[in-house]
Amino acid sequence: MDIEKKKQDPTLVCTCNELYIDDIQNAIDDGESEYQEIMQYNDTLPRCGECECHVEYLVTGNNSQCQIDDWICGENCT
């Protein structure tokens, strides 16, 4: 994960695959809810996996399992 890149653009979720909140949300809107499925929906596969918690947060709205350091997205992720 490129932390500096995430800090520059709060909508960037996955720096390895250049996936943004809108990309993840489109997959969710089309019925995807699993990390692997969301990656496949966007024609990619997970690389480092450090965005998984941020993706899970976007799916469920629950970040109780996440550390803020797991995904740098500014003050408001959505």
Side-chain angles (χ1 to χ4, degrees), residues 24-58:
I24 305 304
Q25 192 60 55
N26 287 339
I28 295 167
D29 291 347
D30 279 349
E32 305 299 350
S33 61
E34 300 294 325
Y35 178 65
Q36 295 281 347
E37 294 170 348
I38 290 169
M39 289 294 170
Q40 289 175 351
Y41 178 93
N42 286 288
D43 297 321
T44 191
L45 294 171
R47 289 186 184 170
C48 76
E50 290 190 25
C51 64
E52 185 171 2
C53 195
H54 191 170
V55 170
E56 182 67 20
Y57 169 76
L58 293 170

Side-chain angles (χ1 to χ4, degrees), residues 6 9-15 17-30 32 38-39 41-42 51 53-59 71-78:
K6 282 188 89 134
D9 187 345
T11 66
L12 183 60
V13 175
C14 176
T15 60
N17 294 304
E18 293 288 321
L19 294 178
Y20 294 83
I21 289 174
D22 287 344
D23 300 317
I24 305 304
Q25 192 60 55
N26 287 339
I28 295 167
D29 291 347
D30 279 349
E32 305 299 350
I38 290 169
M39 289 294 170
Y41 178 93
N42 286 288
C51 64
C53 195
H54 191 170
V55 170
E56 182 67 20
Y57 169 76
L58 293 170
V59 170
W71 39 275
I72 307 300
C73 62
E75 293 180 25
N76 186 4
C77 292
T78 56

